[in-house]
Amino acid sequence: MDLSVIIPFYNEAKNIPIIFEELVPVLEATGQSWEIVAIDDGSFDATFSLLKGEAEQRDHIKVVRLRKNFGQTSALSAGFDSAEGDIIITMDGDLQNDPRDIPPLVAKIREGYDIVSGWREKRKDPFFSRRLPSLIANKMISWVTGVKLHDYGCTLKAFKKEVTKNIRLYGELHRFIPAVASWMGVTIAEIPVNHRVRKFGRSKYGLSRTIRVLLDLITVKFLLTYSTRPIHVFGLWGFLSGLAGFALAGYLTIQRFFFSIPLANRPILLLAILLIFIGIQFISMGLLGELQVRTYHESQGKPIYYIKEIVEKKGALP
Ligand code: UDP
Ligand code: MG
């Protein structure tokens, strides 16, 4: 199988007939083998029966129905798990993405990129509630993660299979796939894509998503930088804090014993104690983190590195 297109649907009944009308001819025209994996994310309108109808009438369509509404990230994850294509394409089910952008994305993957991300250069969403917060979030994400994209939130993306198979998603993390995958050492490209106004149904998100995205950003940053060595982040701060605490305590001890300066009325004594305690706490947290990391990687057989290729002289092995 060459291409798998994954589309999450949550109460998108009106959009379903149109999206298949638009998408199927585009996929046929590529001349490659393809499938559409449609996820019904616990919709309570006609979404499922319409998807089922499409799957019964057309070939190459798989519908995965989730038991309840798990959210877009989980829906995409369900899609990744059942997709069989070598190239995985994700898009929204609300017609805001344009299926005609798929061939250029695929072409870019064939050029050798591991991830190609769509960039909604002329985004058709309200300014204050959507475009402005997303502008700020995008700047922050690229600054914090070091993965330079204009538009992390665009669902229209293409991936090589290896990328989606090696990534586990939680929370609202789907927009961070390029950032999380950058840890594997992937190559990422971005191309401008068309974006359209939502005609039917309503957006499932509001302003509060920005806050959730920023919280996820903290997780991602931590995972990217310290996931295999938590003692380095906690231990460093714990060490510095403990050191400062001991220095202060030593200074107070000398004052007390050699210069008979009383300690009872010195708030700085509390600071010394606090710093020592924080130091011990942080170092212990770092050590617990180290245990966690070992459990995480070893229990799931997760590698701490990814190989691109191995080259050796034929016949070199005995
Ligand atoms: N979606 C989903 N589960 C959810 C929320 C959204 O599967 O809990 C789907 C939704 O049906 C749509 C896509 O995710 O196909 C993007 O959602 P939406 O258009 O509401 O997001 P926006 O474009 O406003 O960011
Ligand atoms: Mg939308």
Side-chain angles (χ1 to χ4, degrees):
M1 178 85 65
D2 296 322
L3 314 176
S4 294
V5 181
I6 298 175
I7 317 177
F9 294 94
Y10 180 45
N11 296 338
E12 305 284 3
K14 282 221 171 101
N15 293 310
I16 289 171
I18 312 174
I19 201 161
F20 283 90
E21 279 309 315
E22 281 190 357
L23 178 57
V24 171
V26 171
L27 292 174
E28 286 293 351
T30 60
Q32 304 178 37
S33 57
W34 57 270
E35 64 173 353
I36 298 174
V37 182
I39 318 296
D40 170 22
D41 186 14
S43 306
F44 46 81
D45 66 356
T47 295
F48 178 70
S49 56
L50 287 168
L51 289 176
K52 199 170 159 214
E54 296 288 344
E56 280 161 1
Q57 278 165 28
R58 301 174 193 267
D59 296 329
H60 320 300
I61 293 176
K62 192 192 292 178
V63 179
V64 177
R65 184 186 198 182
L66 301 185
R67 281 187 176 268
K68 69 173 201 40
N69 177 239
F70 284 93
Q72 196 182 349
T73 299
S74 308
L76 286 171
S77 212
F80 291 154
D81 289 340
S82 56
E84 287 166 52
D86 295 327
I87 297 177
I88 312 287
I89 296 134
T90 53
M91 66 184 278
D92 282 345
D94 60 357
L95 296 170
Q96 289 199 269
N97 297 135
D98 188 340
R100 279 164 299 186
D101 286 315
I102 291 178
L105 288 176
V106 171
K108 208 73 184 166
I109 293 273
R110 299 238 186 264
E111 265 178 41
Y113 290 96
D114 297 308
I115 300 178
V116 182
S117 183
W119 169 18
R120 296 165 295 177
E121 211 175 355
K122 301 192 181 74
R123 191 169 162 186
K124 302 287 192 326
D125 277 323
F127 182 75
F128 278 105
S129 64
R130 308 304 298 275
R131 269 160 45 216
L132 183 66
S134 119
L135 199 79
I136 298 168
N138 282 326
K139 283 270 184 285
M140 286 194 63
I141 297 173
S142 78
W143 177 59
V144 172
T145 63
V147 175
K148 304 291 177 210
L149 293 180
H150 291 92
D151 185 8
Y152 296 83
C154 179
T155 318
L156 186 58
K157 292 189 173 79
F159 308 90
K160 280 197 186 139
K161 177 175 66 184
E162 302 87 272
V163 175
T164 58
K165 298 285 177 202
N166 277 309
I167 282 183
R168 294 272 130 221
L169 300 173
Y170 303 91
E172 292 274 311
L173 282 187
H174 65 270
R175 74 190 49 239
F176 292 109
I177 299 175
V180 174
S182 74
W183 188 83
M184 293 168 58
V186 293
T187 48
I188 305 174
E190 189 175 45
I191 55 177
V193 294
N194 190 9
H195 194 242
R196 307 181 289 193
V197 184
R198 194 192 242 280
K199 276 204 205 113
F200 308 109
R202 293 213 268 117
S203 171
K204 312 300 182 291
Y205 303 101
L207 210 53
S208 76
R209 179 166 65 178
T210 317
I211 297 165
R212 283 181 278 144
V213 165
L214 292 179
L215 289 173
D216 280 339
L217 179 59
I218 300 177
T219 313
V220 168
K221 175 65 186 173
F222 184 76
L223 289 177
L224 279 180
T225 325
Y226 295 110
S227 70
T228 56
R229 46 191 183 104
I231 190 76
H232 287 187
V233 61
F234 290 111
L236 177 70
W237 292 107
F239 185 78
L240 291 178
S241 167
L243 204 66
F246 274 113
L248 259 181
Y251 165 72
L252 291 172
T253 310
I254 291 168
Q255 284 195 330
R256 175 68 189 82
F257 285 111
F258 295 96
F259 301 95
S260 297
I261 301 173
L263 286 183
N265 59 349
R266 312 274 311 270
I268 202 163
L269 178 64
L270 284 179
L271 180 64
I273 298 171
L274 186 70
L275 287 174
I276 292 172
F277 267 96
I278 291 177
I280 295 170
Q281 291 277 353
F282 266 38
I283 291 177
S284 321
M285 263 161 75
L287 290 172
L288 287 177
E290 290 286 324
L291 280 181
Q292 285 276 8
V293 165
R294 280 162 182 70
T295 318
Y296 174 77
H297 284 279
E298 287 166 24
S299 66
Q300 303 180 51
K302 273 189 176 292
I304 57 167
Y305 57 81
Y306 291 91
I307 295 173
K308 195 176 180 111
E309 53 190 322
I310 295 178
V311 181
E312 66 185 350
K313 193 172 166 191
K314 283 264 153 48
L317 288 173

